[in-house]
Amino acid sequence: MEKDLWQMIDEADAQNYGNLATHLKQDMEKSVQATVDKSPEPVRRDIGKASDTLYEKMDQFSQAEQEYAPSPETWLEYEPKHEVIKENLQNLQIVQEKTSSEQDIMTASDKTVDSFQQASIFLQTEYEKLVERERQVQREMEQIKHIIERMQEQTKGSSPENLRDLMAKGKTFISDTENLRESIHWQKPVIAAALWKEAREQVKQVYTGIQEMPDKIKTAVRDKAYSMMDQAIQKTSSIFDKGIQYLQSKKEEVLNLSPLEKRRQAVEKEQQEKLQTAEQQQSAVQRINEPEKGRTVASVQDKVSDNESNIKKPRKVLLRIESKGNVRSQEHERERSL
């Protein structure tokens, strides 16, 4: 199922359609036009009305996806109905070409209209489900915010540290969920749908887990059972914390399953391997050049040593000459003194 859906979406992208709904709608418009061009007036009227209703339902559902979250599985379920309509349209064309019987033509037309109506009913039902799901999430998110506010008011006498932890984690869970909702619009429909489905379910679990906490805290405050109040606060913080971690783990899991993400990781891995290979080659070249460099240095040192020897030899001769001159000068001085 997932493979087929990805194939459909990638095909729509390859043909530069804005989304799968647009692709399916344009495909249907071509089939309808090819059929009604040669149809009698009653057929054009009935098929035209039925197809317009279907287009309206397709646009309505597509708009809801843009406003809330994609639902590619709906289009996958719709596709067989789409194919049935196209088959009925083709059959209607054949009947119109082979017979002039008005009854046969209208029978084929009625069958086609019925398939249009079935598809329209399906999309209308799915639209209502989608809207209700999203409204339910919105209600639960608002309730979670309200619960946090109530707990903050009711727990003024509790541990400030526990209360700060509760507020911080509650706000983090809400912001993470809202940010996820915004970010899914940049993802492929399958990825966006999977991520938001996980988020919806987690919002429901968090809401269910904390909805009774304000009443428990109210009872604890009334009975001055402050330890129970702190326990309720800590439990609520723990529920938020688990929700935060769950959303993050599911986000990573779903993105890792994405073909787009896999391709990105493959490109990144290839680049890293090329970089490592280049570094290894450079290191090997350096190791090869090091002995040559050593020999070159040794040769230079030998030459320097020879030059130093050549320079020192005249110095020794000069010293011997200077020594002989000093001896003669000393002998001459002794003779004069005598």
Side-chain angles (χ1 to χ4, degrees), residues 225-246:
Y226 298 113
S227 62
M228 292 181 62
M229 181 172 63
D230 285 337
Q231 289 176 5
I233 293 174
Q234 291 173 1
K235 183 176 180 180
T236 305
S237 296
S238 176
I239 292 173
F240 280 131
D241 190 44
K242 289 179 181 178
I244 294 167
Q245 294 180 15
Y246 183 86

Side-chain angles (χ1 to χ4, degrees), residues 38 93-95 103 119 142 194 211 224 228 241 244 249:
K38 299 180 181 180
Q93 280 184 277
I94 294 172
V95 171
Q103 183 178 357
E142 290 301 320
Q211 62 180 336
K224 296 183 179 180
M228 292 181 62
D241 190 44
I244 294 167
S249 65

Side-chain angles (χ1 to χ4, degrees), residues 13-29:
D13 288 345
Q15 298 182 38
N16 294 321
Y17 293 115
N19 52 49
L20 188 58
T22 304
H23 168 52
L24 291 170
K25 181 180 177 181
Q26 292 179 346
D27 181 54
M28 183 59 69
E29 287 174 338

